[in-house]
Amino acid sequence: MPNRHLLRTIAMQSLYEWDFRGQKPGSMEEIIKRDCGQFAPGADNFDFSEILVKGVIKNQTEIDKLIVKTAPEWPLEKITPIDRNILRLGIYELKFSSEVPAKVAINEAIELAKKFGGSSSSKFVNGVLGSIYNQMQSK
């Protein structure tokens, strides 16, 4: 079985492609299957990637509202698609999933931003997720 970091990376890449192609209903299953085959050939268990992607899509409206609320100077459509989907994945894991501890979710999102985003992506992702985490702790 591929490790969780790889599966998280596949989930992020699948979300990015789905978003980039206009979020067409029903296309995500094909995207995940293709990305899993391309980025982890020979592996046979991609349940974690599928859980993450489906969780993000199910909660996308609430996740996007959190992004807008936490980063008001950055309209959602102005955030680069890669950063937007890293944030969606990180927020899903932080707020809606009990699979990993909050700090692991934040650190994984920062690592994805360092690897796939621009020069300031990791700071942006860290700031947004850190603010959300702090808000969660104060409740």
Side-chain angles (χ1 to χ4, degrees), residues 89-125:
L89 186 58
I91 292 169
Y92 169 73
E93 286 199 281
L94 188 61
K95 288 211 47 130
F96 299 96
S97 173
S98 59
E99 288 285 316
V100 296
K103 291 187 179 187
V104 172
I106 293 170
N107 287 335
E108 285 287 331
I110 292 167
E111 289 304 313
L112 288 172
K114 285 179 182 176
K115 185 172 183 179
F116 296 100
S119 60
S120 61
S121 293
S122 62
K123 290 178 184 176
F124 179 64
V125 167

Side-chain angles (χ1 to χ4, degrees), residues 6-54:
L6 174 60
L7 294 172
R8 196 175 278 109
T9 300
I10 291 169
M12 183 275 304
Q13 290 170 316
S14 297
L15 286 165
Y16 168 80
E17 181 179 345
W18 180 73
D19 190 23
F20 185 80
R21 294 180 182 263
Q23 301 182 5
K24 294 177 184 165
S27 64
M28 184 50 85
E29 290 78 15
E30 176 188 323
I31 292 169
I32 292 173
K33 185 177 180 180
R34 184 181 56 249
D35 287 353
C36 288
Q38 182 177 358
F39 300 114
D44 60 354
N45 189 349
F46 299 102
D47 293 345
F48 186 63
S49 289
E50 291 178 13
I51 289 167
L52 292 173
V53 167
K54 288 177 181 177

